[in-house]
Amino acid sequence: MADEKVGYVLGGGGVRGAVQVGMLRALFDEGIVPDLVVGTSIGAINGAAIAHDPTPAVVDRLMEAWASPAAAAIYGDSWAKQLHRLAKSRTHLNDPAPLRALLVEMLGEEPTFEGLRLPLAVTAASIERAAERWFDAGPLIPAVLASSSVPGVLPATVIDGEHFVDGGMVNSIPLGEAVRRGATQIYVLQVGRIEESLVAPEKPSEVARVSFEIARRHRFARELADVPDGVTVHVLPSGGPGKGDEKLGSYKRMDATKARIERAYAATAAYLEER
């Protein structure tokens, strides 16, 4: 249809966000190119790369980025160094400098939203206003950093005197924003958590995990149920969880990146072929 508008929605999920690279490869194989991109957290990082270069070449660039020493350095400090930084800062375990360096390498020294080849919007959570904020204009790297500033892991990002933390705190899979911005064919690149069933917890560690997952998922479930007529949503499959994804320290594991990408590519390619 001439008036069809394709939107990519990239959700949050730390290192599990590697699955989005596999999904992206499958989408480009089918010639499904976005007209707009919305993202949160790791989805803001991957989404910025897509909006910067919405061609199949971005898949290779993202694969290189995910496998690079720069990516490993984001969470690569030893526990001793992380605890030392936490004791000194009292707020976070990791230094944001490696993430900033990775973004500069992918996007350039001082990129802007206006300089991207596709419209991009990324969200972050404002501490002072206890609300989400959408960034779609002005400097790009501070906005992406704000969207991916995981509380306790990275420091809050300060923009115009306001402190921002990870967008997944307020909108982990921003489907509704893509609808609001006019997308009619939406492809949701989620990281796999919504595919995993929840059961009543039986021990303290499960209480925290299940509670966190409910907080992450409820908004997406409501927005999916409220999709208006004329809008089609495709929730792309991740290929299933990897070994160790359920562990607390899984956010640091970069060793499973290639396997995540390959599983997601195979699952998404099969889904798109059936579609």
Side-chain angles (χ1 to χ4, degrees):
M1 295 175 60
D3 58 350
E4 183 176 275
K5 189 172 185 178
V6 176
Y8 283 3
V9 173
L10 291 94
V15 295
R16 285 195 180 196
V19 303
Q20 294 171 348
V21 182
M23 294 170 178
L24 181 62
R25 178 182 164 197
L27 287 165
F28 277 117
D29 282 355
E30 291 294 320
I32 302 170
V33 180
D35 298 301
L36 69 93
V37 180
V38 298
T40 189
S41 193
I42 190 60
I45 297 172
N46 290 336
I50 296 166
H52 175 71
D53 180 16
T55 72
V58 74
V59 176
D60 292 333
R61 292 187 65 187
L62 280 170
M63 289 189 71
E64 290 174 5
W66 272 92
S68 69
I74 294 171
Y75 300 130
D77 280 345
S78 67
W79 280 115
K81 285 186 177 180
Q82 290 183 3
L83 291 174
H84 176 75
R85 187 175 291 112
L86 178 61
K88 186 176 180 180
S89 70
R90 299 187 179 185
T91 59
H92 58 276
L93 293 166
N94 291 286
D95 184 350
L99 177 54
R100 180 181 288 276
L102 181 66
L103 292 172
V104 168
E105 185 177 339
M106 286 197 303
L107 305 170
E109 195 66 40
E110 295 184 357
T112 63
F113 283 89
E114 291 81 359
L116 295 171
R117 293 172 62 182
L118 288 179
L120 169 72
V122 301
T123 190
S126 165
I127 291 178
E128 284 82 0
R129 292 184 293 111
E132 72 182 35
R133 173 176 167 182
W134 282 93
F135 295 88
D136 58 8
L140 178 60
I141 287 180
V144 175
L145 281 172
S147 185
S148 49
S149 293
V150 181
V153 178
L154 294 170
T157 298
V158 181
I159 299 176
D160 296 332
E162 192 170 1
H163 295 77
F164 294 94
V165 293
D166 193 282
M169 300 294 295
V170 288
N171 202 336
S172 65
I173 305 176
L175 171 61
E177 189 66 19
V179 173
R180 191 178 74 82
R181 291 173 183 264
T184 56
Q185 286 285 334
I186 300 175
Y187 294 85
V188 177
L189 289 74
Q190 50 86 33
V191 303
R193 284 196 173 103
I194 60 172
E195 301 169 358
E196 300 166 14
S197 60
L198 295 178
V199 296
E202 296 181 350
K203 50 188 177 181
S205 60
E206 292 176 355
V207 171
R209 182 184 64 82
V210 170
S211 299
F212 177 68
E213 285 302 318
I214 293 171
R216 281 180 57 91
R217 300 183 194 186
H218 80 282
R219 181 169 180 176
F220 175 68
R222 185 181 72 232
E223 291 184 346
L224 189 60
D226 291 341
V227 169
D229 292 341
V231 175
T232 302
V233 178
H234 303 275
V235 181
L236 302 181
S238 71
K243 184 178 180 181
D245 277 353
E246 75 285 353
K247 295 181 179 178
L248 182 61
S250 65
Y251 78 90
K252 294 181 63 176
R253 294 180 60 239
M254 300 298 295
D255 59 307
T257 297
K258 184 177 180 181
R260 285 192 177 102
I261 292 172
E262 291 176 348
R263 286 197 306 271
Y265 171 73
T268 297
Y271 169 85
L272 294 174
E273 184 177 353
E274 292 175 3
R275 177 186 69 95

